[in-house]
Amino acid sequence: MSKKEDLTSSEKRDSFTSKTGFILACIGSAVGLGNIWLFPYRVGQFGGAAFLIPYIIFIVLLGYTGLMGEFAFGRMSQTGPIGSFKMALETKNKKWGGFLGIIPVFGAFGIAVGYAVVVGWFIRFLVGFITGSAISSADSGAYFGQIAGPFGSIIWHLIALIIVTIVLISGVSKGIEKMNKIMMPAFYVLFVVLVVKVLTLDGAVDGLKYLVFPEWSCLLSPKTWIYALGQAFFSLSLAGSGMIVYGSYLKRDVDIISSAKNTVIFDTLGAFLAGLIIIPAVFAFGLDPAAGPPLLFITIPSVFKLMPFGRLFGIIFFVSVLFASITSLMNLLEVPIEAVQNTFKLSRKLSVAIVVIAAFLIGLFVENGDVLGSWMDFVSIYIIPLGAFIAAVMFFWVIGIERAKSEIECGSEKKLGKLFEISAKYVFVFLTIFVLIAGILLGGIG
Ligand code: PHE
């Protein structure tokens, strides 16, 4: 063993201990607010089952190109976007790659800041259902208004960040991997329980009709395709950040092609289950399936208020959405943590502390519901697609498609065909720019 290898092994970068652990962590990142509070609404808005056609086309295409690319890029460079982009541009004797890498790090951090506030709300609602206050309040709108008002949830926001801090300080294998292995299977089991409960409610059929009745004419509208693309993009966490970082903790014998396939399948399943719970439940009680915070924090609590055993099912619901969102938050925070740890050569504990404290302090300014919406829009419209675009160019063009291909194939029995080269180098890169421009023009599509 050379001296250099010796040195890196003695510093020892933490890693996922198994393929299953890695896949569950990626599913944990992918399944989040995008699946739960955006997907069901979009399906209803853009033609029910007809929307699923472009959605599935895009999610498969993005999984086959962008997702595999981000995993392999991280695994190749053994570091996050800053180190990866630096490495890529150094092959062309350019030195500013690390600087570009700051963009996706800020993207992930920006989303994390807002996500932490929402996770705090979930904890608040879970406690509200346990104590019964969320169900006994006469007006669900006013109940939420108080929580989402200025500084209405500092303590819950703090609790959310303390929970993830404990997990993140424990590291990748002992923290992130372990928690995902518990939370993600539990999420699916609990969501299936809720689907069964909701579909047995009187009137749930109307919601089911709204959800699955295909309005084929919607497929003729470009907007259906654009929103399906944005949805698939955000849902797979394609941002040149989180998936690169998780890939950087991956061993070379793990099959990236099959990991990406599993992430796509389970992410889509998570979205479908969310749709099957939320829309029929809302219809069963004659409520309106609006988008965003009001759906989860006003409409859904009203549903549980009216449903037999609503308090119990409310608890189950908020436990599962808490699991789904906390596992995304871990991934989002891991990006800046890895960057701080690696760039400044700090200890893991100190890096976690710096990032979490910064996220909390900035989060105080976005705790208010309206500010939160604008903040999340800004980051997800401008920074997230830009990060995905730069990462794709770095890997598929600067590192080069041949090397990219062999990095993805490493550890897999399958080989990628010619179709992959075209899809990754041209189609995917084009789609990342398209998402950026369409997002700016339409005020957000993810
Ligand atoms: N995919 C997550 C969701 O659906 C959001 C996310 C985006 C997470 C980018 C990590 C990185 O909510």
Side-chain angles (χ1 to χ4, degrees):
M1 195 185 269
S2 75
K3 236 188 163 160
K4 196 164 168 234
E5 272 167 347
D6 214 21
L7 196 83
T8 39
S9 66
S10 67
E11 283 172 358
K12 235 179 171 318
R13 189 176 172 83
D14 202 353
S15 65
F16 288 104
T17 61
S18 68
K19 180 180 161 198
T20 317
F22 171 68
I23 293 174
L24 283 168
C26 294
I27 296 171
S29 162
V31 176
L33 296 176
N35 306 55
I36 297 165
W37 85 18
L38 208 58
F39 179 81
Y41 172 73
R42 289 271 184 256
V43 176
Q45 194 182 12
F46 293 109
F51 181 77
L52 301 183
I53 294 176
Y55 180 75
I56 290 174
I57 292 176
F58 284 129
I59 205 133
V60 170
L61 179 67
L62 300 181
Y64 179 63
T65 52
L67 192 58
M68 292 197 306
E70 292 201 5
F71 289 162
F73 198 7
R75 183 170 69 177
M76 180 187 92
S77 64
Q78 289 288 292
T79 175
I82 294 183
S84 300
F85 296 2
K86 187 159 173 254
M87 185 188 212
L89 280 185
E90 271 171 1
T91 64
K92 305 276 181 244
N93 287 320
K94 302 221 164 28
K95 302 233 167 304
W96 37 273
F99 182 69
L100 279 182
I102 297 173
I103 296 171
V105 172
F106 270 106
F109 179 72
I111 297 283
V113 165
Y115 236 85
V117 173
V118 180
V119 171
W121 291 347
F122 285 141
I123 299 175
R124 172 70 187 84
F125 271 81
L126 176 60
V127 172
F129 271 93
I130 292 172
T131 60
S133 72
I135 226 158
S136 59
S137 79
D139 180 349
S140 294
Y143 186 80
F144 178 56
Q146 226 172 30
I147 295 166
F151 305 114
S153 58
I154 297 184
I155 187 82
W156 309 101
H157 178 190
L158 194 61
I159 293 174
L161 282 169
I162 290 173
I163 297 173
V164 275
T165 301
I166 295 170
V167 178
L168 291 170
I169 275 190
S170 315
V172 178
S173 51
K174 293 202 183 79
I176 294 175
E177 182 172 350
K178 239 191 200 152
M179 285 321 276
N180 275 289
K181 273 183 166 166
I182 300 168
M183 287 183 175
M184 290 322 288
F187 164 81
Y188 287 99
V189 171
L190 296 178
F191 253 36
V192 169
V193 170
L194 288 168
V195 169
V196 172
K197 166 71 188 169
V198 164
L199 292 184
T200 55
L201 290 171
D202 276 347
V205 182
D206 291 335
L208 210 54
K209 275 190 202 147
Y210 175 79
L211 204 59
V212 298
F213 179 76
E215 257 191 66
W216 299 117
S217 61
C218 282
L219 290 180
L220 297 174
S221 153
K223 271 200 176 167
T224 306
W225 292 80
I226 295 172
Y227 280 89
L229 172 65
Q231 176 69 35
F233 222 91
F234 188 75
S235 196
L236 280 183
S237 308
L238 289 175
S241 56
M243 294 309 197
I244 293 186
V245 170
Y246 274 2
S248 78
Y249 299 124
L250 194 59
K251 296 196 178 118
R252 296 195 68 80
D253 60 354
V254 175
D255 185 337
I256 281 184
I257 302 177
S258 106
S259 302
K261 191 167 93 188
N262 278 294
T263 307
V264 165
I265 293 172
F266 282 94
D267 181 46
T268 308
L269 179 67
F272 283 10
L273 292 175
L276 284 174
I277 293 167
I278 289 168
I279 302 291
V282 168
F283 269 75
F285 297 102
L287 301 166
D288 173 30
L295 174 66
L296 283 194
F297 297 109
I298 300 173
T299 317
I300 287 291
S302 310
V303 164
F304 289 122
K305 252 191 229 172
L306 299 166
M307 183 190 285
F309 300 105
R311 189 160 157 196
L312 172 68
F313 287 104
I315 293 174
I316 296 180
F317 180 80
F318 281 102
V319 167
S320 20
V321 292
L322 186 59
F323 285 178
S325 54
I326 264 192
T327 48
S328 298
L329 180 58
M330 284 179 209
N331 179 239
L332 290 161
L333 285 173
E334 183 59 29
V335 177
I337 290 170
E338 194 274 349
V340 168
Q341 194 178 350
N342 228 358
T343 311
F344 304 107
K345 304 283 171 245
L346 299 179
S347 72
R348 172 126 192 127
K349 273 195 185 125
L350 187 57
S351 315
V352 172
I354 292 172
V355 169
V356 171
I357 291 171
F360 178 66
L361 294 177
I362 299 174
L364 290 178
F365 295 95
V366 301
E367 261 188 19
N368 177 307
D370 298 332
V371 185
L372 180 73
S374 321
W375 171 272
M376 294 295 255
D377 279 350
F378 176 77
V379 182
S380 63
I381 293 172
Y382 294 93
I383 312 184
I384 294 289
L386 189 59
F389 166 69
I390 303 172
V393 170
M394 290 292 158
F395 196 47
F396 298 135
W397 286 83
V398 180
I399 294 284
I401 198 75
E402 282 307 319
R403 174 82 194 273
K405 224 169 118 181
S406 71
E407 285 294 331
I408 294 172
E409 285 168 349
C410 170
S412 167
E413 280 165 14
K414 284 210 195 87
K415 293 280 166 265
L416 296 167
K418 256 267 167 296
L419 188 65
F420 168 78
E421 289 178 27
I422 300 163
S423 318
K425 231 179 133 175
Y426 301 98
V427 182
F428 181 69
V429 172
F430 168 77
L431 289 179
T432 55
I433 306 174
F434 186 83
V435 167
L436 179 62
I437 296 172
I440 295 172
L441 295 178
L442 294 169
I445 58 168

